[in-house]
Amino acid sequence: MRFSCERDLLSESIGIASRALESRSFGNGVHLDLTGDNLVIYAHETDILIEVRIEVLGHEDGSCVIPTPLTSDLIKSLGEGIVEIDVDDMALTMRSQRAKMSVNLVADFNPPYLRDETVAPVTVDAGELKEALAQVIRASAKGDARDFVYTGVLFAAIDGGLRLVATDGVRMAIRDLRGVNLLESDSEVIVPARSLTELEKLLALRSQKEELRVSVGDKEAAFEIGDFLLVTRLIEERYRDYRQVIQPSYPKRLVVSKREIVEALRRLRRMARENRDMTNLRLDITETRLFMSVHIPQVGTATEELEATYIGDEEISLAFDPELLNEGIDAVGSEYAALEIVATNKAVRIANADNSDLTYLLMPIRQ
């Protein structure tokens, strides 16, 4: 296999494909397949495949598996401009200006990624999905969670659109996408959060006006935008009913500037980090003011006072984990954030003040 390509394009494309590999040690490889002037770069594990297609100047067709991140780093270290790539049975050789380097090819120990039955794609607004993923993924459980199903994000069909749900057992994020008819009525699937995190990164590299094509089958979901393709296995388990933690109404409602509360949280969180495991952030809510405070015995106290609008039958005080509260406020997509409250022992709903598309539920901490 022989081809020529612009240095940065080749290095970045190999790096993007390699994100499919959780472990990027020398033995894990990225595939290069050249046909004419079309180079397909991809990597996969058992549950995810990332593919990048780029145009090069092809001289001889072929395929190989290269080590990563070594190859990508070496290509990036070459001089700017065109890089010449020559592959034989044993090694890949790269040339640029006066530099010449070679790396041994690696054996591909992973079985081929077998695609599921093809499903007709649905066009989705790339910018809207990227925003929704950023708001929801943060609430999913980590990979070592005891309940594997919560390491994924639920995609559920609702009237007039699609709902994304994630929870780690402490908080829950819900985002509705109006007009996105991706699934059949009353159907739902669970997509691994790790795969969606990589999708969010891919979307950040493309114009948000580009067409994103999404297809969801019985066992996998595929996302394609421009020259990028991400395919992921679905989590074939049943998501527990999340609706039971959503209250039918929230009689108390606080509205505050998102910018101002985010700034206040930034300062208060710094104090709280001095005793992360034992420190709560207290909110004291009155009709026109929000008082926020962190107190650490023998360390210090930090307080903030913000203008706010509160509707409720009585003033109320709550305490939260400062980092989890910050993530909920940060997810808000409007100028003003709303905190909707039932009681001090019920999950508080954090939402956009001007619409109901986002719900972030967070349990207060007993004071």
Side-chain angles (χ1 to χ4, degrees):
M1 177 170 66
R2 290 193 303 114
F3 65 90
S4 305
C5 183
E6 200 278 325
R7 180 200 67 178
D8 291 343
L9 176 62
L10 182 59
S11 174
E12 291 170 5
S13 299
I14 293 173
I16 291 169
S18 71
R19 292 175 183 170
L21 306 172
E22 273 197 299
S23 174
R24 302 184 189 182
S25 61
F26 184 85
N28 287 325
V30 171
H31 296 247
L32 306 182
D33 286 346
L34 177 65
T35 303
D37 293 333
N38 299 309
L39 180 65
V40 178
I41 304 169
Y42 68 94
H44 67 88
E45 290 190 342
T46 56
D47 59 347
I48 183 173
L49 175 145
I50 297 178
E51 177 182 289
V52 184
R53 299 178 297 275
I54 62 174
E55 187 172 336
V56 301
L57 180 60
H59 305 300
E60 182 179 342
D61 292 356
S63 61
C64 66
V65 183
I66 59 174
T68 183
L70 175 61
T71 306
S72 178
D73 290 344
L74 290 177
I75 293 173
K76 191 184 302 183
S77 72
L78 297 172
E80 294 183 358
I82 299 300
V83 175
E84 301 284 342
I85 302 295
D86 191 345
V87 181
D88 58 25
D89 292 338
M90 300 296 294
L92 177 147
T93 301
M94 57 195 85
R95 297 180 178 87
S96 176
Q97 301 174 15
R98 298 181 180 180
K100 175 183 176 181
M101 291 180 281
S102 66
V103 292
N104 293 338
L105 303 181
V106 298
D108 184 19
F109 295 108
N110 289 326
Y113 189 101
L114 300 177
R115 291 291 308 273
D116 196 8
E117 183 178 347
T118 303
V119 178
V122 173
T123 300
V124 176
D125 184 292
E128 186 177 20
L129 181 60
K130 177 180 177 293
E131 179 186 55
L133 292 176
Q135 292 171 319
V136 170
I137 291 172
R138 66 188 67 199
S140 62
K142 306 308 177 190
D144 57 354
R146 287 181 297 176
D147 203 335
F148 180 67
V149 68
Y150 293 136
T151 63
V153 174
L154 177 70
F155 282 45
I158 58 173
D159 289 340
L162 178 71
R163 172 169 289 174
L164 309 185
V165 183
T167 182
D168 58 7
V170 177
R171 48 18 191 315
M172 176 182 292
I174 304 171
R175 171 65 194 271
D176 292 342
L177 297 170
R178 309 294 178 182
V180 179
N181 299 308
L182 183 61
L183 303 174
E184 295 181 0
S185 178
D186 297 324
S187 62
E188 56 185 43
V189 298
I190 305 172
V191 185
R194 180 203 163 209
S195 299
L196 293 176
T197 298
E198 296 304 333
L199 174 63
E200 184 187 353
K201 294 175 183 176
L202 292 181
L203 295 178
L205 297 173
R206 309 299 302 193
S207 167
Q208 302 306 294
K209 297 181 180 180
E210 285 191 72
E211 185 179 81
L212 172 65
R213 296 171 297 282
V214 183
S215 57
V216 180
D218 294 332
K219 296 182 180 297
E220 73 176 25
F223 305 84
E224 186 171 10
I225 182 169
D227 298 324
F228 298 155
L229 171 67
L230 184 148
V231 184
T232 179
R233 300 288 188 218
L234 301 177
I235 297 175
E236 297 184 62
E237 296 187 27
R238 186 166 184 80
Y239 212 85
R240 295 181 180 84
D241 187 7
Y242 62 90
R243 302 172 189 85
Q244 61 187 357
V245 300
I246 304 174
Q247 301 298 318
S249 65
Y250 293 84
K252 303 176 179 66
R253 190 171 197 256
L254 172 77
V255 176
V256 63
S257 164
K258 177 187 174 180
R259 179 184 61 80
E260 291 180 4
I261 193 172
V262 165
E263 280 296 303
L265 282 168
R266 178 179 60 81
R267 292 184 286 269
L268 293 169
R269 286 162 53 221
R270 176 62 190 90
M271 174 65 81
R273 282 197 293 270
E274 291 301 301
N275 193 355
R276 176 72 176 87
D277 295 333
M278 300 295 292
T279 303
N280 302 328
L281 188 149
R282 180 184 171 97
L283 304 184
D284 294 299
I285 302 170
T286 69
E287 186 175 351
T288 60
R289 290 288 187 271
L290 169 62
F291 297 92
M292 308 169 65
S293 61
V294 170
H295 173 66
I296 306 176
Q298 300 179 351
V299 174
T301 301
T303 63
E304 297 276 348
E305 179 182 343
L306 303 179
E307 292 185 359
T309 301
Y310 175 62
I311 300 174
D313 53 3
E314 60 182 355
E315 297 181 354
I316 192 169
S317 296
L318 301 164
F320 295 97
D321 179 299
E323 297 299 330
L324 298 185
L325 177 62
N326 180 70
E327 289 196 6
I329 297 295
D330 180 67
V332 169
S334 60
E335 184 179 357
Y336 287 88
L339 279 71
E340 299 177 346
I341 306 159
V342 175
T344 57
N345 62 346
K346 299 289 185 181
V348 170
R349 178 178 185 260
I350 300 172
N352 301 328
D354 56 3
N355 63 66
S356 59
D357 289 346
L358 171 71
T359 291
Y360 183 95
L361 298 173
L362 180 62
M363 279 296 298
I365 297 172
R366 183 178 299 177
Q367 301 183 68

